[in-house]
Amino acid sequence: GMIAVGKAVENSGSLAWIAEHTLIRLGQSNPAIALSGLYLLTSLLTAFLSNNATALLLTPMAIGMAQHLGLDPTPFLVAVMFAASASFATPLGYQTNLFVYSAGGYYFRDFVKVGLPLNIIFWLVASFLIPWLWPLKAL
């Protein structure tokens, strides 16, 4: 069901607008900033969509961004992969979060309180490590 919601986000044109007006413009001055922005966007969407739907939506966008910037798409795909899989801020983004949400007697705010700082830490670390391990090189 979340893939349909994700498709609606894509069909509304909001993802294309974000890619064209923000991330690509940032990437023209510094590709590492575009990569970091892509990670952040993926992480934010995964908080409300499933990780699979988010990865499905943002993978073509990541490839398109890399091609537009004349760069190898690998680091951009790695950013989407990690951000979609490291969803801690809500119980909605990842299946395991949903499993423990009810069984553990947690509240939504418990995920935000612990998971949001963890997502921010992962974003900052990934923003430095991904370009280092998978260099932003021209094709």
Side-chain angles (χ1 to χ4, degrees):
M2 293 307 283
I3 291 175
V5 173
K7 208 60 173 149
V9 171
E10 180 184 30
N11 290 341
S12 72
S14 58
L15 283 178
W17 186 89
I18 289 169
E20 184 178 328
H21 290 89
T22 57
L23 296 177
I24 290 176
R25 287 187 183 168
L26 290 172
Q28 290 171 340
S29 63
N30 186 347
I33 294 175
L35 180 81
S36 180
L38 178 65
Y39 186 101
L40 182 61
L41 175 64
T42 306
S43 185
L44 290 172
L45 283 176
T46 305
F48 302 102
L49 298 173
S50 74
N51 64 323
N52 295 329
T54 302
L56 185 70
L57 288 173
L58 292 182
T59 295
M61 186 174 122
I63 293 169
M65 279 178 54
Q67 288 174 343
H68 183 79
L69 296 171
L71 300 171
D72 178 20
T74 303
F76 293 88
L77 294 172
V78 168
V80 169
M81 176 183 66
F82 282 141
S85 297
S87 177
F88 312 113
T90 69
L92 305 175
Y94 201 72
Q95 300 84 359
T96 310
N97 295 4
L98 280 173
F99 290 146
V100 300
Y101 179 58
S102 176
Y106 294 110
Y107 294 101
F108 194 89
R109 69 178 176 267
D110 296 330
F111 283 87
V112 175
K113 189 175 11 175
V114 175
L116 186 59
L118 194 56
N119 272 14
I120 292 169
I121 291 168
F122 271 55
W123 168 53
L124 294 173
V125 169
S127 294
F128 289 104
L129 287 182
I130 291 173
W132 183 61
L133 296 170
W134 293 273
L136 296 165
K137 60 184 177 204
L139 288 175

